[in-house]
Amino acid sequence: MASIAETAGDILAIAKGLSVTLRHLFKKPVTLQYPEVKPVLPPRHRGRHELARHENGLEKCVGCELCAAVCPAYAIYVEGAENPPDNPISIGERYAKIWVVNYLRCIFCGFCVEACPTEALQMKHIYELSEYTRAATIYTKEMLLQPVPKKDPADSWMPG
């Protein structure tokens, strides 16, 4: 048989638990209803990568491979190639023939963005990167490249 002191201790413990529940009962909930309500991201949030273009549609990436060299997780692979003079892809002498990032390995540290000398690589506020297969988490250059801006062809400084 339990003593009176043990019973009083049990009742006190129940009262403490109920006091915590009652304190939080009328507070505003912290949880967001995620798919319907999107969270507000801080300005320095590092999300998915994006390869930028110049206003004339040429790629900013010159295939220097510095982003791949500085990546601590080895998530980026870049293969540079000589830029064709008759149909340039980027402004520099080279361009990124292959540019791939593996988001299973990426730790979103932002070192690649800091290392980019042409500011071609940016991290946007895109954070919904879940996929059903591993192969879908490997993003290629075509998937990350900004769309070509729609401008009047006469505005371009490049011939053609």
Side-chain angles (χ1 to χ4, degrees):
M1 212 187 221
S3 70
I4 296 175
E6 290 176 1
T7 306
D10 292 341
I11 292 174
L12 185 62
I14 291 173
K16 278 184 178 179
L18 285 174
S19 71
V20 170
T21 303
L22 290 174
R23 258 186 284 144
H24 289 85
L25 184 64
F26 300 107
K27 286 186 178 179
K28 184 179 169 186
V30 178
T31 308
L32 295 176
Q33 299 300 320
Y34 169 64
E36 293 85 26
V37 180
K38 303 287 184 186
V40 178
L41 299 174
R44 294 181 62 183
H45 172 77
R46 294 187 296 244
R48 196 193 74 175
H49 298 81
E50 186 175 77
L51 290 169
R53 290 183 183 265
H54 287 285
E55 294 80 25
N56 59 6
L58 293 177
E59 298 173 8
K60 283 188 175 183
C61 181
V62 293
C64 67
E65 303 174 15
L66 285 175
C67 54
V70 77
C71 181
Y74 304 108
I76 300 174
Y77 174 74
V78 181
E79 184 179 318
E82 295 298 319
N83 210 1
D86 54 336
N87 189 14
I89 297 171
S90 73
I91 288 183
E93 295 175 5
R94 296 169 44 94
Y95 75 102
K97 180 179 175 184
I98 299 172
W99 202 98
V100 178
V101 62
N102 184 348
Y103 281 108
L104 289 177
R105 297 186 63 97
C106 182
I107 58 173
F108 298 93
C109 62
F111 289 166
C112 52
V113 176
E114 292 176 21
C116 185
T118 61
E119 297 181 359
L121 190 56
Q122 303 166 0
M123 293 182 99
K124 296 295 183 176
H125 290 276
I126 302 168
Y127 58 89
E128 295 172 328
L129 299 173
S130 61
E131 299 290 346
Y132 289 106
T133 63
R134 287 178 176 259
T137 61
I138 298 173
Y139 282 60
T140 62
K141 175 181 164 180
E142 291 76 24
M143 298 164 79
L144 298 173
L145 201 56
Q146 280 181 344
V148 178
K150 301 199 187 252
K151 283 204 156 205
D152 186 23
D155 291 341
S156 177
W157 60 268
M158 293 294 291

